[in-house]
Amino acid sequence: MTEPTVRLPEVRPAASTPPEGYGPANHPPTNHGPRPHRPVSRKTTVRNAKIPSPVVPLSPPPAGAGTRPVDPKPRPKPDNAPPRAAQGRAERNQAAERHDSDRRNRSMAVRPMARPFARVRGRHAAMSRRQRWEGRYVRTLVLADLVAGSTAGAVTFGLRFGDEVTEYNRGYMIISALLPVLLLAVLAVARAYERRYLFVGTDEYQRVLRGGVGLIAGAALVSYALDLDLARGYVLAALPTAICTSVVLRFALRKRLHLARARGESLRRVILAGHELSVIGMARQLRRERYHGLEVVGACLPAGHDGVGVTGLTVFGTFDDVASAVEQADADTVVVLSCPELDGAAVRRLAWRLERDEVDLVVASALVDVAGARTTIRPFDGLPMLHVEHPRLHGGSRLVKDLFDRVGALMLLAGFGPLLLAVALCVRVTSRGPVLFRQVRVGRDGRLFRIFKFRSMYVDAEARLAELRHLNEHDGVLFKIRDDPRVTGVGRWLRRFSVDELPQLLNVALGQMSLVGPRPPLPSEVAAYADDVRRRLAVKPGMTGLWQVSGRSDLPWEEAVRLDLRYVENWSLSLDLVILLRTMTAVVRSSGAY
């Protein structure tokens, strides 16, 4: 038997022109041999070039993309065209549009800067801009602390020893001159200048207070160890004065920063990555609380989402387009919201891509209103676990709070004594009825007590409540009318500056209320509470709180409840001090007071 002869195809040598049927769109399977070696210029070396680039799998091409005919004559491409989601056409996902479209990628477009600035070499443009104003803010903090230390040393030396310098007080003059440097060193060790703790929150003030306590303890230890004859009155006056002055100056600088952010300055440009509902909720919250300094400039959604519901935001594509969205939007921060598509491996690859331009990556936790002081990351078998501690509702910290409240209430009663007498006289003369208004309120754990206030309404106010119920301007269980006809003329001024609340210092001194806490509710309001809202009764009600310093009656009911629950879950003495300082500015603004 003879076997059939099989003719093999001829093997041609590699030519410069590819065979027919192959082109840029159809990759030939043939090997064209090794590429010639190109020397790498040192001018093209970028920062972090030693970090290997993460291997990110490419998205599959859309259906029909491989069979589309190749246009031998390319058409002109529009430069820096807006995304289709922003134009109102959201028929397809933007990532698929970018695969199918012949338009030039927008990340290649050069966007003109609004104002010139010096870009730090190796950093993203937006990151360079942020580094500039953050560095200026830190330098201002250093100067403020130097001023606090110098002022405290000079004032204490003058009050203790006068203007005359003698052999005895020359050493204290040297200590007063060194106090600003010592204060600066202690605050630096306490990490009070790290940017992660600045701009918002109470971590900055907590670190200043811890540094002050450490400075006082260190001074006592050194004087005892070296047997130094230091006047206790000087030490106990100079050091606490320096710390308190530093806290007040830092608070003033932060308020100035918040005012600048309200004008649209010193903001971080943020890209949100998550599902539509999460993106909408986070964008709404960040726009409402501008003092956080996060300006949402765009979003990236999962594949298959058209972004129709995301109004007012530019949708730059899918999660694979986050890095290019940062470049297009000139952003410096990416906030990853909780969603199953962005698991640990995906977030890690995204962090690798953002690391080269030093763009911040923030992962939003699913925990609601739980501060960082209660959360710690503990490794279990190599896996980072987020441990959430219980709020401090009992124990020694509460005893410290009760002592602080009662002593502070007695001191304020003594200081406001003449004002209280003047207000009582005005209330008594202008309208008939008692000077003080007593009403039953619900305190901690549902205990009932009588609250004291200056009477700001006519005596028949409770009887007229039923006929005015339909005029309620609040969306919750509260009853609020901006122009309540039951309020007297003097009562309007008392309510505007919250002077009618001053008699509640008696309730604080009696232990029924606290200086800072949730608003004291009525029994009828508590009866309408949902189960989650009853959590407000876990602590004593306060004369002021997050609700009062954030807008008072102008806030919706859900926002007021959220603020009160945030305080219950994250109470601290430093937070109380911050709220008391913010109360002063809220009283001057008198926003939401009616």
Side-chain angles (χ1 to χ4, degrees):
M1 294 180 65
T2 60
E3 296 180 357
T5 303
V6 179
R7 183 178 297 276
L8 299 175
E10 298 182 2
V11 179
R12 298 182 181 180
S16 58
T17 304
E20 184 178 0
Y22 292 96
N26 302 312
H27 302 285
T30 59
N31 185 6
H32 295 281
R35 296 184 179 180
H37 175 71
R38 295 183 181 179
V40 180
S41 175
R42 299 184 65 89
K43 296 182 179 180
T44 61
T45 305
V46 297
R47 194 165 182 245
N48 295 336
K50 295 182 179 181
I51 299 178
S53 175
V55 180
V56 182
L58 299 177
S59 302
T67 60
R68 186 174 57 187
V70 179
D71 190 359
K73 186 177 181 180
R75 296 185 297 272
K77 305 171 185 178
D79 185 26
N80 200 16
R84 297 201 172 191
Q87 299 175 359
R89 297 193 301 269
E91 310 85 44
R92 306 183 58 184
N93 186 274
Q94 190 177 2
E97 288 286 344
R98 187 159 44 251
H99 280 295
D100 291 340
S101 176
D102 293 330
R103 294 180 301 174
R104 181 183 176 189
N105 194 319
R106 290 178 296 156
S107 63
M108 301 171 61
V110 179
R111 303 189 344 150
M113 292 297 175
R115 54 182 178 177
F117 70 98
R119 175 173 175 174
V120 181
R121 187 176 182 180
R123 286 199 177 107
H124 189 269
M127 189 65 185
S128 300
R129 191 179 297 110
R130 200 186 87 192
Q131 289 283 342
R132 186 178 63 174
W133 71 259
E134 286 185 354
R136 185 168 59 248
Y137 186 86
V138 173
R139 290 191 295 270
T140 307
L141 284 182
V142 172
L143 181 60
D145 292 335
L146 289 176
V147 171
S150 302
T151 304
V155 171
T156 306
F157 182 86
L159 294 177
R160 179 66 175 79
F161 305 104
D163 299 334
E164 185 179 357
V165 179
T166 62
E167 187 70 22
Y168 172 73
N169 61 21
R170 185 175 291 112
Y172 292 96
M173 185 179 66
I174 297 176
I175 295 176
S176 300
L178 293 178
L179 182 58
V181 180
L182 293 176
L183 178 63
L184 210 65
V186 168
L187 294 183
V189 172
R191 302 165 67 184
Y193 298 106
E194 290 192 15
R195 302 182 184 184
R196 71 178 75 180
Y197 305 120
L198 304 178
F199 315 125
V200 71
T202 60
D203 289 338
E204 176 186 357
Y205 306 116
Q206 290 178 359
R207 295 187 176 277
V208 172
L209 295 177
R210 292 173 187 172
V213 173
L215 180 59
I216 296 174
L221 183 61
V222 169
S223 63
Y224 177 77
L226 300 180
D227 197 15
L228 299 178
D229 188 14
L230 288 178
R232 296 184 182 91
Y234 174 83
V235 174
L236 295 179
L239 300 186
T241 302
I243 296 301
C244 294
T245 306
S246 176
V247 170
V248 172
L249 291 178
R250 284 171 175 260
F251 175 78
L253 291 175
R254 180 177 291 189
K255 294 301 294 184
R256 190 183 70 170
L257 175 64
H258 291 174
L259 292 176
R261 285 175 169 177
R263 298 191 302 265
E265 303 172 3
S266 303
L267 296 174
R268 295 189 179 190
R269 298 176 62 84
V270 176
I271 296 292
L272 298 179
H275 285 263
E276 291 186 9
L277 293 179
S278 301
V279 167
I280 294 172
M282 180 62 70
R284 183 184 297 114
Q285 183 173 352
L286 294 180
R287 285 172 179 171
R288 182 174 59 247
E289 301 178 356
R290 293 280 298 228
Y291 67 90
H292 285 292
L294 300 179
E295 180 185 14
V296 182
V297 296
C300 291
L301 305 178
H305 290 246
D306 50 17
V308 175
V310 184
T311 58
L313 284 181
T314 301
V315 179
F316 289 97
T318 64
F319 295 152
D320 295 331
D321 305 312
V322 173
S324 62
V326 169
E327 192 71 27
Q328 297 169 38
D330 200 14
D332 54 49
T333 304
V334 175
V335 176
V336 176
L337 305 178
S338 179
C339 59
E341 290 85 356
L342 289 173
D343 54 3
V347 174
R348 180 177 56 192
R349 290 194 297 265
L350 178 60
W352 287 342
R353 299 184 66 179
L354 300 178
E355 180 184 7
R356 301 179 179 180
D357 291 328
E358 296 187 0
V359 177
D360 287 352
L361 177 63
V362 179
V363 180
S365 174
L367 296 174
V368 180
D369 293 329
V370 176
R374 290 180 51 204
T375 58
T376 55
I377 297 180
R378 301 178 182 177
F380 291 92
D381 195 17
L383 298 176
M385 297 292 183
L386 188 65
H387 181 78
V388 182
E389 298 179 357
H390 296 295
R392 294 175 294 178
L393 301 178
H394 305 279
S397 59
R398 283 295 169 181
L399 295 178
V400 174
K401 178 178 175 61
D402 291 342
L403 180 62
F404 174 78
D405 289 336
R406 299 199 181 196
V407 173
L410 294 176
M411 294 176 61
L412 291 175
L413 282 173
F416 287 120
L419 177 61
L420 295 175
L421 293 177
V423 172
L425 182 61
C426 291
V427 173
R428 184 69 174 176
V429 171
T430 55
S431 61
R432 65 181 183 88
V435 174
L436 292 180
F437 173 73
R438 299 173 179 86
Q439 191 178 41
V440 177
R441 297 294 180 99
V442 181
R444 183 179 181 181
D445 297 331
R447 300 189 186 97
L448 300 179
F449 69 98
R450 288 188 178 273
I451 196 173
F452 299 103
K453 298 176 62 176
F454 280 124
R455 183 175 56 83
S456 60
M457 291 185 176
Y458 294 103
V459 292
D460 60 343
E462 293 294 331
R464 298 170 58 186
L465 178 61
E467 64 185 40
L468 298 175
R469 181 71 68 177
H470 65 284
L471 300 177
N472 187 15
E473 299 179 6
H474 208 272
D475 60 347
V477 300
L478 299 180
F479 178 79
K480 290 290 183 179
I481 303 177
R482 189 173 299 273
D483 295 322
D484 197 330
R486 303 173 299 164
V487 180
T488 63
V490 175
R492 296 187 187 278
W493 287 97
L494 297 180
R495 290 191 170 200
R496 180 177 179 181
F497 298 103
S498 301
V499 181
D500 61 324
E501 310 284 347
L502 289 181
Q504 296 176 20
L505 291 172
L506 296 173
N507 297 110
V508 177
L510 294 175
Q512 300 168 341
M513 293 181 60
S514 176
L515 290 177
V516 181
R519 174 188 168 274
L522 293 168
S524 59
E525 297 172 357
V526 175
Y529 277 0
D531 293 338
D532 293 343
V533 185
R534 290 184 177 273
R535 180 69 170 174
R536 301 172 67 194
L537 305 179
V539 298
K540 292 181 181 179
M543 293 183 59
T544 183
L546 287 177
W547 178 77
Q548 288 88 338
V549 300
S550 302
R552 288 186 273 191
S553 299
D554 290 339
L555 294 177
W557 170 247
E558 293 183 357
E559 181 66 13
V561 171
R562 188 181 67 84
L563 291 174
D564 284 341
L565 293 181
R566 180 195 297 180
Y567 176 81
V568 173
E569 298 295 326
N570 307 302
W571 170 84
S572 65
L573 187 59
S574 59
L575 179 60
D576 282 2
L577 295 176
V578 171
I579 292 176
L580 290 174
L581 290 175
R582 289 180 62 184
T583 302
M584 301 178 185
T585 59
V587 169
V588 174
R589 292 196 313 267
S590 67
S591 59
Y594 53 86

